[in-house]
Amino acid sequence: MRTRVGIIGAGPAGLALAHLLRLRGIDSVVLEARSREYVERRVRAGVLEHPTVELLREAGVADRLDREGMPHHGLSLRFDGADHRIALTDLTGRSITVYGQQEVVKDLIAARLEAGEPIVFEASDVRPHDVETDRPYITYVDADGTPQRLDCEVIAGCDGSHGVSHTAPSTVPSTRHEHDYPFAWLGVLAKAPPSHSELIYTHHERGFALHSMRTPEITRLYLQVPPEERIEDWSDDRIWDELGRRLTADGFTLTTGPIMEKGITTMRSVVTEPMRHGRLFLAGDAAHIVPPTGAKGMNLAIHDVWVLAEALGRYFGEGRTDLLDGYSDTCLRRVWRAQHFSWWMTSMLHQAPGADDFQRRLQLSQLRYTASSTAAATSLAENYVGLPYR
């Protein structure tokens, strides 16, 4: 096969890029290691920034999002046994929308297949080649076991932190900035109505907890645990008991129900610089990872491919290379802002191992200031709802 843009990965980044390119008349082929069923059922992020929602609307793939998404105009910081609401919309004029990453993926897959554009699922041994030349190509083995070659002019690596794109041979030296956090999140998906109308970020002496949701019938909840914790040691009863302890507040009742999924995720920050190697452009988790506290991962990926689609449109349409040359720097400015915000939220809300009373009192001081100062609350709000793309 031959195409203009070969896209590795059918997550939100790869699929959004393919859709944005199609709107510009640029053909592409998407290669995905997993099956369609797996990709559409993979539960990940669930908070969409205001600019992300606006982009999906402009791209014509937000019909179901607008019907089923859950707009939120505020969130709660819960500490000292009480809620302190951050009024996102009142402070910024913008909001967030709770809509699962897998739902965004379903919408983008449906739009692409309806347009008759190719997605190659279950492609194994995917490898980019000759990325430093003007004739890059990708080799892979299709679902029938047949070796294939995809010739292209540009390769987009949207295959996540465990993919092959960020390890592709390159003559361009890269720097990988990494930071490991001394805790993990135990996350559960429960068949239970949300216990609160908005997200609750809880600072508690036993550790951080987060109350979120995916639909009016399904709740998403998280507990801070040590990174070496084993999920086998957490029965459903133990999980609900610990959530009840940490989320306690006056007038709050935790709604429980059957736990559908549970798992433990370590927390880290990663930034790869630059995000380009010749004709290979990295996007999303292939280039950067943020701790989930700030709800930035999928939103950064969508911003990356928005920048890349615009740059490729100018390149193929007008022969301009300046936007492609500036791709990495443009994306990294937003990436580092999101990294700082996510680190700040994480540091303010979690109980660090070995923290003394002095450090805990500093955390509470920051929380109280953020909840009581309009300037501090506005800073949190504008970062949380998403800074403008331009």
PDB file of all heavy atoms in Angstrom, residues 134-155:
ATOM      1  N   ASP A 134      13.307  11.054   2.797  1.00  0.00           N
ATOM      2  CA  ASP A 134      12.016  11.526   2.291  1.00  0.00           C
ATOM      3  C   ASP A 134      11.161  10.380   1.762  1.00  0.00           C
ATOM      4  O   ASP A 134      10.124  10.607   1.145  1.00  0.00           O
ATOM      5  CB  ASP A 134      12.215  12.592   1.216  1.00  0.00           C
ATOM      6  CG  ASP A 134      13.004  12.081   0.020  1.00  0.00           C
ATOM      7  OD1 ASP A 134      13.431  10.898   0.031  1.00  0.00           O
ATOM      8  OD2 ASP A 134      13.205  12.865  -0.933  1.00  0.00           O
ATOM      9  N   ARG A 135      11.595   9.131   2.025  1.00  0.00           N
ATOM     10  CA  ARG A 135      10.822   7.955   1.616  1.00  0.00           C
ATOM     11  C   ARG A 135      10.672   6.974   2.791  1.00  0.00           C
ATOM     12  O   ARG A 135      11.127   5.833   2.720  1.00  0.00           O
ATOM     13  CB  ARG A 135      11.502   7.249   0.432  1.00  0.00           C
ATOM     14  CG  ARG A 135      11.525   8.076  -0.843  1.00  0.00           C
ATOM     15  CD  ARG A 135      12.261   7.348  -1.952  1.00  0.00           C
ATOM     16  NE  ARG A 135      12.297   8.117  -3.181  1.00  0.00           N
ATOM     17  CZ  ARG A 135      11.361   8.071  -4.116  1.00  0.00           C
ATOM     18  NH1 ARG A 135      10.314   7.284  -3.951  1.00  0.00           N
ATOM     19  NH2 ARG A 135      11.466   8.803  -5.214  1.00  0.00           N
ATOM     20  N   PRO A 136      10.062   7.411   3.872  1.00  0.00           N
ATOM     21  CA  PRO A 136       9.874   6.482   4.996  1.00  0.00           C
ATOM     22  C   PRO A 136       8.836   5.415   4.647  1.00  0.00           C
ATOM     23  O   PRO A 136       8.013   5.596   3.740  1.00  0.00           O
ATOM     24  CB  PRO A 136       9.372   7.391   6.114  1.00  0.00           C
ATOM     25  CG  PRO A 136       8.650   8.487   5.401  1.00  0.00           C
ATOM     26  CD  PRO A 136       9.436   8.723   4.135  1.00  0.00           C
ATOM     27  N   TYR A 137       8.884   4.314   5.361  1.00  0.00           N
ATOM     28  CA  TYR A 137       7.868   3.284   5.169  1.00  0.00           C
ATOM     29  C   TYR A 137       7.700   2.492   6.461  1.00  0.00           C
ATOM     30  O   TYR A 137       8.521   2.578   7.387  1.00  0.00           O
ATOM     31  CB  TYR A 137       8.213   2.365   3.999  1.00  0.00           C
ATOM     32  CG  TYR A 137       9.464   1.525   4.182  1.00  0.00           C
ATOM     33  CD1 TYR A 137       9.398   0.210   4.640  1.00  0.00           C
ATOM     34  CD2 TYR A 137      10.721   2.049   3.880  1.00  0.00           C
ATOM     35  CE1 TYR A 137      10.545  -0.564   4.791  1.00  0.00           C
ATOM     36  CE2 TYR A 137      11.875   1.296   4.025  1.00  0.00           C
ATOM     37  CZ  TYR A 137      11.778  -0.011   4.483  1.00  0.00           C
ATOM     38  OH  TYR A 137      12.922  -0.775   4.642  1.00  0.00           O
ATOM     39  N   ILE A 138       6.611   1.748   6.520  1.00  0.00           N
ATOM     40  CA  ILE A 138       6.284   0.946   7.691  1.00  0.00           C
ATOM     41  C   ILE A 138       6.084  -0.494   7.243  1.00  0.00           C
ATOM     42  O   ILE A 138       5.397  -0.753   6.254  1.00  0.00           O
ATOM     43  CB  ILE A 138       4.994   1.442   8.369  1.00  0.00           C
ATOM     44  CG1 ILE A 138       5.092   2.932   8.707  1.00  0.00           C
ATOM     45  CG2 ILE A 138       4.699   0.633   9.626  1.00  0.00           C
ATOM     46  CD1 ILE A 138       3.764   3.536   9.150  1.00  0.00           C
ATOM     47  N   THR A 139       6.703  -1.419   7.959  1.00  0.00           N
ATOM     48  CA  THR A 139       6.427  -2.827   7.723  1.00  0.00           C
ATOM     49  C   THR A 139       5.602  -3.377   8.873  1.00  0.00           C
ATOM     50  O   THR A 139       5.715  -2.921  10.006  1.00  0.00           O
ATOM     51  CB  THR A 139       7.721  -3.641   7.581  1.00  0.00           C
ATOM     52  OG1 THR A 139       8.502  -3.495   8.773  1.00  0.00           O
ATOM     53  CG2 THR A 139       8.533  -3.179   6.371  1.00  0.00           C
ATOM     54  N   TYR A 140       4.768  -4.371   8.559  1.00  0.00           N
ATOM     55  CA  TYR A 140       3.947  -5.008   9.581  1.00  0.00           C
ATOM     56  C   TYR A 140       3.458  -6.347   9.061  1.00  0.00           C
ATOM     57  O   TYR A 140       3.626  -6.670   7.875  1.00  0.00           O
ATOM     58  CB  TYR A 140       2.761  -4.120   9.963  1.00  0.00           C
ATOM     59  CG  TYR A 140       1.751  -3.895   8.866  1.00  0.00           C
ATOM     60  CD1 TYR A 140       0.586  -4.665   8.779  1.00  0.00           C
ATOM     61  CD2 TYR A 140       1.949  -2.905   7.901  1.00  0.00           C
ATOM     62  CE1 TYR A 140      -0.351  -4.457   7.769  1.00  0.00           C
ATOM     63  CE2 TYR A 140       1.026  -2.690   6.890  1.00  0.00           C
ATOM     64  CZ  TYR A 140      -0.123  -3.462   6.821  1.00  0.00           C
ATOM     65  OH  TYR A 140      -1.035  -3.267   5.811  1.00  0.00           O
ATOM     66  N   VAL A 141       2.878  -7.127   9.945  1.00  0.00           N
ATOM     67  CA  VAL A 141       2.272  -8.405   9.577  1.00  0.00           C
ATOM     68  C   VAL A 141       0.782  -8.288   9.829  1.00  0.00           C
ATOM     69  O   VAL A 141       0.363  -7.910  10.936  1.00  0.00           O
ATOM     70  CB  VAL A 141       2.872  -9.563  10.401  1.00  0.00           C
ATOM     71  CG1 VAL A 141       2.186 -10.878  10.049  1.00  0.00           C
ATOM     72  CG2 VAL A 141       4.372  -9.663  10.158  1.00  0.00           C
ATOM     73  N   ASP A 142      -0.032  -8.574   8.812  1.00  0.00           N
ATOM     74  CA  ASP A 142      -1.473  -8.393   8.968  1.00  0.00           C
ATOM     75  C   ASP A 142      -2.099  -9.536   9.756  1.00  0.00           C
ATOM     76  O   ASP A 142      -1.417 -10.482  10.176  1.00  0.00           O
ATOM     77  CB  ASP A 142      -2.155  -8.194   7.612  1.00  0.00           C
ATOM     78  CG  ASP A 142      -2.081  -9.418   6.698  1.00  0.00           C
ATOM     79  OD1 ASP A 142      -1.901 -10.542   7.212  1.00  0.00           O
ATOM     80  OD2 ASP A 142      -2.230  -9.250   5.475  1.00  0.00           O
ATOM     81  N   ALA A 143      -3.412  -9.450   9.973  1.00  0.00           N
ATOM     82  CA  ALA A 143      -4.105 -10.422  10.821  1.00  0.00           C
ATOM     83  C   ALA A 143      -4.049 -11.832  10.254  1.00  0.00           C
ATOM     84  O   ALA A 143      -4.209 -12.814  10.995  1.00  0.00           O
ATOM     85  CB  ALA A 143      -5.568  -9.989  11.007  1.00  0.00           C
ATOM     86  N   ASP A 144      -3.807 -11.961   8.938  1.00  0.00           N
ATOM     87  CA  ASP A 144      -3.694 -13.281   8.311  1.00  0.00           C
ATOM     88  C   ASP A 144      -2.275 -13.829   8.361  1.00  0.00           C
ATOM     89  O   ASP A 144      -2.009 -14.913   7.834  1.00  0.00           O
ATOM     90  CB  ASP A 144      -4.164 -13.209   6.851  1.00  0.00           C
ATOM     91  CG  ASP A 144      -5.640 -12.858   6.744  1.00  0.00           C
ATOM     92  OD1 ASP A 144      -6.403 -13.297   7.640  1.00  0.00           O
ATOM     93  OD2 ASP A 144      -6.024 -12.144   5.800  1.00  0.00           O
ATOM     94  N   GLY A 145      -1.339 -13.041   8.935  1.00  0.00           N
ATOM     95  CA  GLY A 145       0.043 -13.499   9.021  1.00  0.00           C
ATOM     96  C   GLY A 145       0.888 -13.155   7.811  1.00  0.00           C
ATOM     97  O   GLY A 145       2.007 -13.654   7.669  1.00  0.00           O
ATOM     98  N   THR A 146       0.381 -12.279   6.960  1.00  0.00           N
ATOM     99  CA  THR A 146       1.100 -11.915   5.741  1.00  0.00           C
ATOM    100  C   THR A 146       1.917 -10.644   5.951  1.00  0.00           C
ATOM    101  O   THR A 146       1.362  -9.624   6.384  1.00  0.00           O
ATOM    102  CB  THR A 146       0.115 -11.686   4.576  1.00  0.00           C
ATOM    103  OG1 THR A 146      -0.702 -12.844   4.413  1.00  0.00           O
ATOM    104  CG2 THR A 146       0.867 -11.394   3.279  1.00  0.00           C
ATOM    105  N   PRO A 147       3.216 -10.671   5.672  1.00  0.00           N
ATOM    106  CA  PRO A 147       4.031  -9.452   5.788  1.00  0.00           C
ATOM    107  C   PRO A 147       3.556  -8.385   4.800  1.00  0.00           C
ATOM    108  O   PRO A 147       3.219  -8.699   3.641  1.00  0.00           O
ATOM    109  CB  PRO A 147       5.448  -9.927   5.466  1.00  0.00           C
ATOM    110  CG  PRO A 147       5.430 -11.405   5.694  1.00  0.00           C
ATOM    111  CD  PRO A 147       4.045 -11.845   5.326  1.00  0.00           C
ATOM    112  N   GLN A 148       3.508  -7.133   5.240  1.00  0.00           N
ATOM    113  CA  GLN A 148       3.052  -6.036   4.410  1.00  0.00           C
ATOM    114  C   GLN A 148       4.019  -4.860   4.530  1.00  0.00           C
ATOM    115  O   GLN A 148       4.756  -4.731   5.501  1.00  0.00           O
ATOM    116  CB  GLN A 148       1.655  -5.575   4.839  1.00  0.00           C
ATOM    117  CG  GLN A 148       0.592  -6.643   4.791  1.00  0.00           C
ATOM    118  CD  GLN A 148       0.127  -6.961   3.378  1.00  0.00           C
ATOM    119  OE1 GLN A 148       0.557  -6.318   2.414  1.00  0.00           O
ATOM    120  NE2 GLN A 148      -0.729  -7.952   3.241  1.00  0.00           N
ATOM    121  N   ARG A 149       3.953  -3.973   3.528  1.00  0.00           N
ATOM    122  CA  ARG A 149       4.749  -2.748   3.548  1.00  0.00           C
ATOM    123  C   ARG A 149       3.840  -1.579   3.187  1.00  0.00           C
ATOM    124  O   ARG A 149       3.074  -1.647   2.215  1.00  0.00           O
ATOM    125  CB  ARG A 149       5.912  -2.848   2.557  1.00  0.00           C
ATOM    126  CG  ARG A 149       6.649  -1.511   2.345  1.00  0.00           C
ATOM    127  CD  ARG A 149       7.906  -1.704   1.550  1.00  0.00           C
ATOM    128  NE  ARG A 149       8.450  -0.410   1.106  1.00  0.00           N
ATOM    129  CZ  ARG A 149       9.742  -0.170   0.903  1.00  0.00           C
ATOM    130  NH1 ARG A 149      10.628  -1.138   1.119  1.00  0.00           N
ATOM    131  NH2 ARG A 149      10.148   1.013   0.483  1.00  0.00           N
ATOM    132  N   LEU A 150       3.945  -0.521   3.974  1.00  0.00           N
ATOM    133  CA  LEU A 150       3.169   0.693   3.731  1.00  0.00           C
ATOM    134  C   LEU A 150       4.143   1.832   3.443  1.00  0.00           C
ATOM    135  O   LEU A 150       4.866   2.281   4.326  1.00  0.00           O
ATOM    136  CB  LEU A 150       2.312   1.035   4.949  1.00  0.00           C
ATOM    137  CG  LEU A 150       1.530   2.352   4.881  1.00  0.00           C
ATOM    138  CD1 LEU A 150       0.483   2.316   3.772  1.00  0.00           C
ATOM    139  CD2 LEU A 150       0.861   2.656   6.229  1.00  0.00           C
ATOM    140  N   ASP A 151       4.174   2.277   2.185  1.00  0.00           N
ATOM    141  CA  ASP A 151       5.017   3.420   1.811  1.00  0.00           C
ATOM    142  C   ASP A 151       4.250   4.709   2.066  1.00  0.00           C
ATOM    143  O   ASP A 151       3.051   4.803   1.779  1.00  0.00           O
ATOM    144  CB  ASP A 151       5.396   3.326   0.331  1.00  0.00           C
ATOM    145  CG  ASP A 151       6.372   2.189   0.059  1.00  0.00           C
ATOM    146  OD1 ASP A 151       7.531   2.314   0.468  1.00  0.00           O
ATOM    147  OD2 ASP A 151       5.949   1.169  -0.524  1.00  0.00           O
ATOM    148  N   CYS A 152       4.941   5.694   2.617  1.00  0.00           N
ATOM    149  CA  CYS A 152       4.277   6.946   2.952  1.00  0.00           C
ATOM    150  C   CYS A 152       5.275   8.096   2.887  1.00  0.00           C
ATOM    151  O   CYS A 152       6.481   7.885   2.715  1.00  0.00           O
ATOM    152  CB  CYS A 152       3.635   6.863   4.331  1.00  0.00           C
ATOM    153  SG  CYS A 152       4.632   6.045   5.583  1.00  0.00           S
ATOM    154  N   GLU A 153       4.762   9.296   3.009  1.00  0.00           N
ATOM    155  CA  GLU A 153       5.623  10.478   3.018  1.00  0.00           C
ATOM    156  C   GLU A 153       5.926  10.944   4.431  1.00  0.00           C
ATOM    157  O   GLU A 153       6.957  11.581   4.677  1.00  0.00           O
ATOM    158  CB  GLU A 153       4.960  11.606   2.218  1.00  0.00           C
ATOM    159  CG  GLU A 153       4.756  11.260   0.749  1.00  0.00           C
ATOM    160  CD  GLU A 153       4.037  12.358  -0.008  1.00  0.00           C
ATOM    161  OE1 GLU A 153       4.497  13.518   0.059  1.00  0.00           O
ATOM    162  OE2 GLU A 153       3.008  12.061  -0.648  1.00  0.00           O
ATOM    163  N   VAL A 154       5.011  10.643   5.352  1.00  0.00           N
ATOM    164  CA  VAL A 154       5.154  11.031   6.750  1.00  0.00           C
ATOM    165  C   VAL A 154       4.618   9.891   7.606  1.00  0.00           C
ATOM    166  O   VAL A 154       3.650   9.220   7.237  1.00  0.00           O
ATOM    167  CB  VAL A 154       4.364  12.327   7.057  1.00  0.00           C
ATOM    168  CG1 VAL A 154       4.316  12.602   8.550  1.00  0.00           C
ATOM    169  CG2 VAL A 154       4.969  13.515   6.323  1.00  0.00           C
ATOM    170  N   ILE A 155       5.258   9.684   8.766  1.00  0.00           N
ATOM    171  CA  ILE A 155       4.775   8.696   9.728  1.00  0.00           C
ATOM    172  C   ILE A 155       4.405   9.424  11.020  1.00  0.00           C
ATOM    173  O   ILE A 155       5.166  10.256  11.515  1.00  0.00           O
ATOM    174  CB  ILE A 155       5.841   7.621  10.026  1.00  0.00           C
ATOM    175  CG1 ILE A 155       6.191   6.849   8.760  1.00  0.00           C
ATOM    176  CG2 ILE A 155       5.346   6.658  11.111  1.00  0.00           C
ATOM    177  CD1 ILE A 155       7.342   5.855   8.942  1.00  0.00           C
TER     178      ILE A 155
END
